Amino acid sequence: MQRLITLILACLCALPLAAQAWWQTEWSYRKQISIDTTTEGASISAPLGRAPLLVRLHTGNFTFDGVQENGADIRFVASDDQTVLHHQIERFDALMGIAYIWVDVPQVDGGSRQDIWMYYGNDAAPSTSNGQLAFDPNYTLVYHFDGAAGAPPRDTTAFSNHALSTLSDVAEGVIGSAAQFNGIEPLLLPESPSLAVPAGSLYTLSAWVRADQMQGQQLLFSRRDAGNALLIGISDGVPFVEVNGARSEPGQPLAPGTWQHLAVTADGTALKLFVNGRVSTTLQAMLPPLATVAAIGGDVPGAAAPAVAEGDGAAPVPAAYTPFIGAIDELRISKVARADALIMADALSQGAESRLLVFGVDEEQSGFGFGGLGFLFSAVPLDAWIIIAVLVFMMIQSWIIMIRKNSAVVRMERANEHFREKFSQVGMRLEMLADKPGAEKEFADSSLWKIYQAAVNEIRTRRSQGIQHISAASIEAIRSSMDVVRTQQQKILGAKLGTLSNAIAGGPYIGLLGTVLGIMVVFLGTAMAGDVNINAIAPGMAAALLATAMGLFVAIPALFGYNRLVSRNKDVNADMRVFLDEFVTRLAEVYEAEHRFDDTPHGTAIHA
């Protein structure tokens, strides 16, 4: 029984550890965000590695209550509740209920589900938004196009590869604002060392593209250097990549007027062109050395059109490349070949409907120190607390009874065993233990000693009244006296077990009453508010169910303890019954000996 109670107490002490810990108490709220690459989510089997993931918040998944107006108090923490993840806030508008935040996740595995936590609700917290840390050093250029028209786009990375020219117009993009290209001037990128491309190097360029016009040879990206050229564009709506005049085979066409994700990777032997995260076409070529100015949305200024031969011996005919008409968003350039899985994840997670991220409910720090469990406690209404208080009283009462009863029966079993050992040595001298000095203290906890005392007292009472011989009727009378004491000991053993029985039978029903009352209050509040919101209903429902859980927590230990005590009481009762029969048998043996001795001519009485 002590081991059972100890186990239950250990489980109770482990509850704060089992509940998800709270990162820092200065933050009042948090939201669980799951990165799901299983078949139920993004269905990506290969590992992504380190990835900057877009957390898109809106009123459908975030309340924007309790957070600073600019989101400065937002922090992202890994599932260990210790590792703080770097992040960059591209846009945060609490009034409009929309936010775009990039979070640097160190490792995203394929075919798995991992959690991160978004903490908020600290008025004194400064902003830690930093794009230079949110994107790994292999990104050499990242344009969010979050500036206004007439200003050059700024690079988020530490390389500061800001655009050389300004945006003529902006449009609503996939992620906030986007660069609008009207076929007038391209956007020029600097010829910085970080953007230089050595021959045969690794490379990745990705962007969201919306083609408003499908006809012609439109360039999305161009870079030329001493006769070398890397061109990415669309030919009559079909994306292509071209290196020094060698062009990829036609692949999947773009849908007009629709945002689609395009990416090109070079691994040193071939170039792959992706449309919406999937490989559309490839080109067996290596990148040439490029270190000049690059252009987005058209060809670089002053570039001569490449010559294309028209038949044998024909004069070269210029191939006309036209500027791009449409919009581009989230442009990225990397000096490594990004994994296919990461490109797929970008296409799936950056759109309006992300299949990669799953948002949990907003949790409030309870102050109980039990994490999510403490938050549950804080949602319990007053009427449920009254029911829980009654159940706690029943639990404490039942545990006290179990501990005391178990200790008493253990002492009784040990004392009975010791008494039996001594009684086995008395032989025909049945009253020997009663004359032993200190026997009362030595056998104080033994129920057999009390039965033995009752028998010895009966024998000595008869002797004091002049009855020297024990008859069969006297033996039955002594047995009755011993039965009276045995019954009293049985009552002592069974005392308070009825309270345990009440806890077993009544605990769950009392808990159920609290649950019913709690659910009634939740539905009443929902009806009065006139709005069915799972974030408002779920805490109250969970808190109401806590009363039922508490009732079971009262009943289950009481059930185990009750069964254990009943089993041990049966063992003690069996010992008392066996001892009573043994003593009466020995007493009858003494009676027979006395009777035979009295039949002799000079017999004298044999006393017990």
Side-chain angles (χ1 to χ4, degrees), residues 580-599:
L580 191 152
D581 292 339
E582 179 183 357
F583 187 90
V584 170
T585 301
R586 290 195 185 187
L587 191 61
E589 183 183 6
V590 172
Y591 162 72
E592 291 292 339
E594 289 180 349
H595 184 71
R596 288 194 302 271
F597 189 78
D598 288 343
D599 289 342

Side-chain angles (χ1 to χ4, degrees), residues 3 43 149 161 200 235 311 341 380-381 408 444 451 471 501 564 568:
R3 289 193 295 269
S43 188
N161 288 314
S235 174
V380 177
I451 295 174
S471 63
S501 180
R564 178 66 172 170
R568 302 192 81 161

Side-chain angles (χ1 to χ4, degrees), residues 259-477:
W259 284 106
Q260 294 165 93
H261 189 264
L262 262 64
V264 173
T265 63
D267 61 5
T269 61
L271 285 80
K272 292 189 289 188
L273 189 148
F274 297 79
V275 176
N276 292 329
R278 303 185 184 278
V279 177
S280 175
T281 185
T282 60
L283 175 64
Q284 297 299 318
M286 294 190 305
L287 288 179
L290 301 167
T292 56
V293 171
I296 301 295
D299 210 342
V300 291
V308 178
E310 187 178 355
D312 295 335
V317 177
Y321 289 115
T322 60
F324 173 66
I325 298 178
I328 296 177
D329 195 5
E330 194 59 30
L331 173 67
R332 298 180 185 178
I333 297 177
S334 302
K335 59 183 177 181
V336 296
R338 296 292 176 180
D340 293 4
L342 179 58
I343 294 176
M344 172 63 78
D346 288 343
L348 293 176
S349 65
Q350 294 175 11
E353 297 296 332
S354 173
R355 289 157 49 192
L356 182 62
L357 299 185
V358 180
F359 293 88
V361 300
D362 294 84
E363 299 180 5
E364 181 179 1
Q365 185 181 188
S366 64
F368 286 87
F370 293 145
L373 189 60
F375 174 70
L376 179 63
F377 289 156
S378 67
V380 177
L382 177 61
D383 52 352
W385 274 123
I386 296 175
I387 298 296
I388 291 175
V390 173
L391 292 171
V392 169
F393 173 77
M394 293 176 62
M395 179 186 69
I396 295 174
Q397 184 185 41
S398 62
W399 284 19
I400 291 175
I401 291 173
M402 288 188 291
I403 293 173
R404 288 182 176 178
K405 297 294 292 183
N406 183 71
S407 299
V409 74
V410 168
R411 291 195 304 269
M412 184 176 292
E413 286 178 334
R414 292 175 180 174
N416 285 347
E417 183 178 356
H418 179 60
F419 177 82
R420 290 299 299 268
E421 181 182 353
K422 297 297 182 181
F423 185 75
S424 64
Q425 302 172 4
V426 302
M428 300 290 289
R429 301 171 58 190
L430 300 181
E431 300 179 39
M432 184 178 70
L433 291 180
D435 298 330
K436 180 181 178 181
E440 186 73 27
K441 182 177 180 180
E442 182 179 356
F443 305 118
D445 295 323
S446 174
S447 59
L448 302 184
W449 163 256
K450 294 178 175 58
I451 295 174
Y452 170 79
Q453 279 186 312
V456 171
N457 289 338
E458 286 292 329
I459 293 172
R460 290 182 174 179
T461 298
R462 283 166 173 71
R463 187 180 299 127
S464 65
Q465 294 175 353
I467 302 174
Q468 299 298 321
H469 301 290
I470 301 175
S471 63
S474 296
I475 291 176
E476 288 302 317

